[in-house]
């Protein structure tokens, strides 16, 4: 799928970035580059903060590696490649939903 190099008008990445980041060890700048490469225009994205229970379960004692990792830090990394058009913090959760446009 990724080898085809296609671009899509809208890419949706819901509850996936933390699995790539923590589960597979892919750095956030590389995830942002992948999303940018796949997206022709829009990106709908869910980001997970490090205090989220799922994020915590993926860490398994590697907390110090992500001690400074926050939604704001992720937003900053993505803002280099995308403009955040809208964002919504999910009440009572350490997650946010974003509508972004490719730069």
């Amino acid at each position: 799928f990724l080898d085809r190099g296609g671009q899509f008008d809208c890419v949706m990445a819901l509850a996936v970035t933390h699995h790539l980041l923590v589960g597979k060890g892919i750095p956030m700048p590389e995830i942002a580059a992948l999303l940018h490469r796949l997206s022709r225009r829009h990106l709908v994205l869910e980001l997970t903060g490090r205090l989220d229970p799922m994020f915590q379960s993926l860490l398994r004692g590697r907390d110090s590696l992500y001690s400074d990792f926050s939604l704001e830090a992720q937003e900053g990394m993505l803002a280099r490649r995308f403009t955040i058009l809208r964002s919504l913090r999910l009440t009572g959760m350490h997650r946010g939903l974003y509508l972004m446009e490719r730069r």
Side-chain angles (χ1 to χ4, degrees), residues 11 16 30 40 46 52 66 68 72 79-80 95 98:
V11 172
V16 70
E30 287 185 34
R40 188 176 297 131
E46 178 184 20
D52 181 83
Y66 301 97
D68 295 332
E72 293 79 16
R80 296 177 186 138
R95 292 177 181 239
Y98 300 84

Side-chain angles (χ1 to χ4, degrees), residues 90-102:
L90 301 176
T91 306
M93 301 176 76
H94 296 278
R95 292 177 181 239
L97 292 175
Y98 300 84
L99 172 61
M100 300 184 179
E101 187 169 47
R102 190 180 199 268

Side-chain angles (χ1 to χ4, degrees), residues 35-87:
L35 295 171
H36 189 260
R37 191 171 71 241
L38 291 173
S39 173
R40 188 176 297 131
R41 184 159 183 211
H42 287 110
L43 172 64
V44 177
L45 181 66
E46 178 184 20
L47 295 177
T48 305
R50 68 178 178 81
L51 297 178
D52 181 83
M54 179 54 76
F55 196 92
Q56 286 293 310
S57 72
L58 291 170
L59 284 178
R60 289 185 227 127
R62 297 173 287 174
D63 299 46
S64 62
L65 292 174
Y66 301 97
S67 61
D68 295 332
F69 202 72
S70 65
L71 290 175
E72 293 79 16
Q74 294 173 79
E75 290 170 10
M77 288 178 211
L78 287 155
R80 296 177 186 138
R81 296 176 182 270
F82 294 92
T83 300
I84 299 173
L85 301 175
R86 298 184 86 183
S87 65

